[in-house]
Amino acid sequence: MSLLQDVEVLRNIPLFAKMEPSKLKLLAFTAERLTFQPGQFLVKQGDAGDSAYVIVEGEADVQVDAPTGTITVAHIGRHAFVGEIAILCDVPRTASVRAATPLTAMRITKALFFELVNQFPSIAVEIMRELASRLSRTTQQLQQTLSQIESGKK
Amino acid sequence: MLRGTAGHRLGMDNSLYKYVIRYSLRNQIWLMVLAGVSFPFLYLFYELPKNIVNGAIQGRAGPFPVEYFGVSLDQVTYLFILTGLFLLLVVINQMVKYYINVFQGITGERMLRRLRFQLYSHILRFPLPQFRKISPGELIAMLTGEVEPLGGFVGDSFAIPAFQGGTLLVILTFLFIQNPMMAAAAVALYPVQMYFIPRMQRRVNQLGKERVRLVRRLSERIGETVQSVQEIHANDTSAFEQAQFSSRLGAVFWVRFDIYNRKFMIKFLNNFIQQMGPFFFYAIGGYFVIKGSLDLGTLVAAVAAHKDLASPWKELLTFYQAQQDARIKYEQIISQFVVPGLMEEKMQQEAPDPLPHLAGKLAAANLTLANEDGINLVDSASFTLDLGRHTAVVGASGSGKEELGLLLARLLPATGGRLSVDGLDLRDQPEALIGRRIGFVGPGAALFAASLRENLTYGLKHRPLTDPGRDLESKQAHARELHEATSSGNSAGDLAADWIDYRLAGINGPAELNLAMLMALEVADMTEDVYQYGLRGTVDPGARPEVAERVLRARMALRERVRVPDLAGLVEFFDDTRYNTNATVAENLMFGTPVGGAFDLERLAASPYVTRVLDKIGLTQDLLVMGRQIAATMVELFADLPPDHEFFRQFSFISADSLPDFQALLAKYPQDRLGDLKPEERLALLSLPFKLIPTRHRLDLIDAPFQARILAARTVFASDLPVELKAAVEFFDVGRYNAAATLQDNILFGKIAYGQAEGSERIGRVLSEVIASESLRETIVNVGLDFQAGIGGSRLSGAQRQKLSIARNVLKRPDVLIISEGTAALDAGSQTRILERIRKNFAERGLIWVLHRVTLARDFDHILVMQGGHVVEQGNFEALKEPGTVFQQMLGTE
C-alpha cells in the first residue's frame, strides 16, 4: 500500500473528507498502518490509551467486559473511527475492539490527533456529531433496558 | 581514639619547609652538594679569561716559549690550551646545571605526587559531615590546580637559594679579590632592595591568599551549577546564575589586577635600583677618574661586575616572591585538609586475619548523634537486636531513622553512647571489619563509571589478592612503576592483580563468581534488566566460539519458529539475493554492520567509496532525482508545522532548521538542472534516499527495477571493497556470526516488519523462547554485565541503580545488611519481591531495614519505632498494633 492510496482511503472517510490534500498526506504519512490478525485486539478495555484507529479494511467487534462475561456491543467495519474517547479525556479504554477478520487500520497517535483537531475544527465537529449520536443511541438503549427491568419487576 | 587533630601526626606539616625537609631532605642535600661542587668551576670560569687576555694574548705569561710540566709551549699553543680549558669549563658548568635541573624536576614531581596522594587519602578519611562544609569543586580545584605550582617550588626550595646565592658569592669573592672597593660599590644598593621589597611583597601575599579563596569559590560555584543544572533549566534562572558567576569573576579580576599592579611595581623598583648602579658608577666614578684619583680600567671592570651580579640577584628576588606564593598556597590547602574528626590512618590499614564475624546481639546504649548545632538527631537510643533475626526501623521523615541507619553502619561516628556486637565496641573497629561484615544500601546508590560487572564486584575489592602473573618485560615495567610510587609515598596496590575477595562472597574462586553474581542479581530483581542490556551487547566470536555457535543455532531455530502462519511476515530476514523492504536503502546497499568509523549508516552518502560504487552502477543521478522528490514531499508535508513540533523529530527526513534551505534548493534547481548542484547541496540531496524504508515511508519511490539496481550496487560494494576498508564492514551472512552486531540482531538476522500489530512484542516472545531453548539466557545476562554504567551510573535508571546497589551487597554476604530507604525508587511489585528475596537470602543473618512504608514492617521479627530522635516503641508487629501506640497511628495514616 502506498501513501497516495492511503490518502484516497482517508478522503473517503467522512471525518476527514473536508481536509486539504496536503494535510491528508501528512496524516497518512505520520499515521502508522497496522495489520491485525482475526482475534487480535486494537484496543483493550482498561488499558491506558494513547492512540485512536481508523479502520481501512476489514471488520471488528466492540466488546465490553461485564460480570456475566464479554458482551459484543457493536460490530464495526471500514472507515470506522475508534478509540478516540480514551485520548480525548484520559480515561482507560472503555471497551475492547477486536479484529473479526484480517484487518488493516491506521493508528493515529494522541499528538497527531490533537494537531488535526487544532488545525481543522471541522474534524472536531465531525467527532462531536459522532459522539452525540452514540450518546443518544446509548441513552435509548438504557431507557429500553430500564423499562424492561421495570416491567420484569411487576 | 578516632580523632586526630594535629597536622604533623597525619604526615602533613603546617609549614611548607618542614614538609619539604621531612620528605626530601636527602634530595635537597644532594642538590646543595651539587651546587657546591659547581662553584670552584664557576670561579675558574671567571678567573680564566683574565689569564687568557693578560697572559696569552698580551704575552705577560712569557717570555715564550714557556715550559709547563716539561713541555715547552709557544704563545699561540698556550692561548689555545687556555681557551680549550675555558671551553671545558663551559661544558662542565652547563652539565652540572643540566643535572641539577633534572634532579630538581624529579624531586619536585615526586613531592607533588606525594602531596596529591596524601590529600586524596585525607579526603577518604574525612568524617562524613565534612562533605557538607566543603564542595567537590573546591576539593578538585585544590588537588589539581592549586598544588601544581607547589611541585615546581619544592624542586627549587633549597637548590635555587643555594645555587644562585652561591653564584652571587663566587662572583663577589672574585670581585673582592680583584678590587675590594669596586666589589663594595657593586652591592652598595642591595640593602635598599632588601628593605623595600619584603614590605611590598607582604601586601601581594595577602592578595594572593584572597585570590586563592576567590578561585575556590569559583570552582565551588561551577560544581554547584553542574549538579543543579536541571533545577536551573526548570526555573529559567540561567540569567541569574550568569550574573552571580560574572560577579565572582569580577572579584577575581580585581584581585588579580591588583596583584599584577603591585608585582610590576616591585619589578619596576627592582630594575630601577639595578640601573641606579651604573648611574652612580658613571657619575661618581667618572668624577674621580676626571679628578685623577681612580683609574679608568677599574671603573669599567666595576660596571661589568655589577652587570654579572644582576642575573643571580634577580633570580634570588624572583625566588623570594615564588616562595611567598608557595607558602600561602600550601598553608591554605593544608588548613582545609587537616580537619577535626579525621579518621586515623590505621583504621583503614589494619585488616585482622582471620576477620571475626559479627554475630549475637547488637546492643546500642544511649546512642546519640548531634549535628554541628548541637541538636540531637538521634537521642539516647537504647536497644538490643538479635543479629540472627530481622529488624525494621520505622518513623516519619525527620524522626532520625535515616541517621540511625548511618550510625549502625558506622558511617557516622556517634557523638555519644556505645554501639557493640557481643561486647565488641564497633567504634574502635577498623574499616576492614566494618566494611566487609556490614552491608549498607542507602537511598542514593553510588555507581562508578565502569561495567555493571565491576560495579557488582566493587564490594569485594579490598586488597590485591593474587600475583597478576606478568611476563618478564612487564614485570620490569611494573617494578619501575612500583619504585616510583613508593618513592612518592603512593599506593603499592597493583591494579592488574585480582582484587576480588572470593572467600568473602562465600565462593572458592573466579569460576564460581558468575553464578554468585547471577544469584545476587536475581535477589535484587535485576536479572531482566541485565538481560535486556545483554541483548544489545556484542560478543567476540573468536574468544567465545561456543557462544557464537549457539547464537547461530538460535538464529536457525527462530527462522523455523516464525514459519507458522500466526507469525509469518513478522520478520523479514536478510537475504543476499533480495532487497529487504523493512531496511533503509543504506542498509540494503551495504548489507552489513559497520566496524569502526570508516562507514556510518547515517552518513553513507558522504563516503567517497560509496560514491564510486554508485557511479559505477550509474545510480547517482537517479538517487539525486529521488532525493529531490523526497525533499519536495517533506517540504509539502512539514512546511506549515511550527519548527519545534515533535513530528520533525519523529517523522521528517529533514530537520526543522534545514527545511528553509531545502525549500530554497528546490526552487533553485528544477529536476533538469541537478547537474549544477554545489558539492554540499548535492550531498544533502543524495543523503535523503539513503534513509528510505519502503514499508515504513510508503513513498512509492523504491520500485522493483530500483531494488534490482541497489542489489547490483550491493554486489559491487562487496567485490570492489579495497583492502584497507575490508575490516570496516562485517557483511551479513546467514551461516556466520556477525561480531559487530548485537546478540539480538545476530539471532534475529533480519528486520522486524513494519505495520504488524504488536510485531516487536510477539517477536520478543519468540526471541526469548529460542534463547531459552539454546540455554543462552545466562550467557546473555553475562554479556549484559559488560554494559557500561556511565558516569555515576547515569546510563541506568534510578531503580536500576538501587537494584545494583542491593545486588552488590547481596554478593558481599555481610553479617548484617542495613538498608536505609534503599528501595524507594522501585515500583511496589519489585519492592515486595526484593523484600521477600532478601529476607530469605539473609535468613540466620542480620537484616536491619529502615522502611519508608510502615505496612512493609509486617513480617519483620522486630520493629523499632522512631520519633523525634528517640526509639519510642519496639516489639513485633502484633504487639505494636495495640490501640494508642505511635505505631498504630502511623499505620492508620498510611
Side-chain angles (χ1 to χ4, degrees), chain B residues 541-558:
Chain B
R544 309 182 67 181
E546 83 296 345
V547 172
E549 210 169 287
R550 277 188 296 162
V551 167
L552 287 181
R553 278 210 300 273
R555 179 188 289 180
M556 292 309 157
L558 184 111

Side-chain angles (χ1 to χ4, degrees), chain A residues 1-4 6 22-23 25-26 28-37 40 106 109 111-112 115 119, chain B residues 566 633-634 636-638 640-642 645-647 651-653 696-700 754-758 762:
Chain A
M1 252 318 172
S2 84
L3 193 64
L4 292 177
D6 282 351
S22 76
K23 287 297 149 188
K25 213 167 165 183
L26 179 67
F29 186 67
T30 50
E32 195 181 353
R33 176 186 256 274
L34 288 175
T35 58
F36 293 82
Q37 305 296 323
Q40 268 190 307
M106 293 180 70
T109 60
L112 177 56
E115 172 69 28
Q119 290 204 10
Chain B
D566 244 13
T633 307
M634 292 302 129
E636 180 195 353
L637 289 179
F638 292 95
D640 293 346
L641 291 178
H645 201 283
E646 64 168 284
F647 282 0
F651 299 107
S652 179
F653 281 55
R696 179 177 172 197
H697 300 114
R698 316 197 297 278
L699 290 180
D700 263 354
Y754 282 94
Q756 299 293 328
E758 293 184 311
R762 281 150 76 199

Side-chain angles (χ1 to χ4, degrees), chain B residues 136-173:
Chain B
E138 285 178 277
L139 288 174
I140 293 167
M142 285 189 266
L143 243 81
T144 52
E146 282 182 35
V147 295
E148 184 104 31
L150 288 182
F153 174 76
V154 168
D156 294 349
S157 58
F158 284 85
I160 293 262
F163 188 75
Q164 300 296 350
T167 306
L168 194 74
L169 277 177
V170 169
I171 301 174
L172 261 179
T173 312

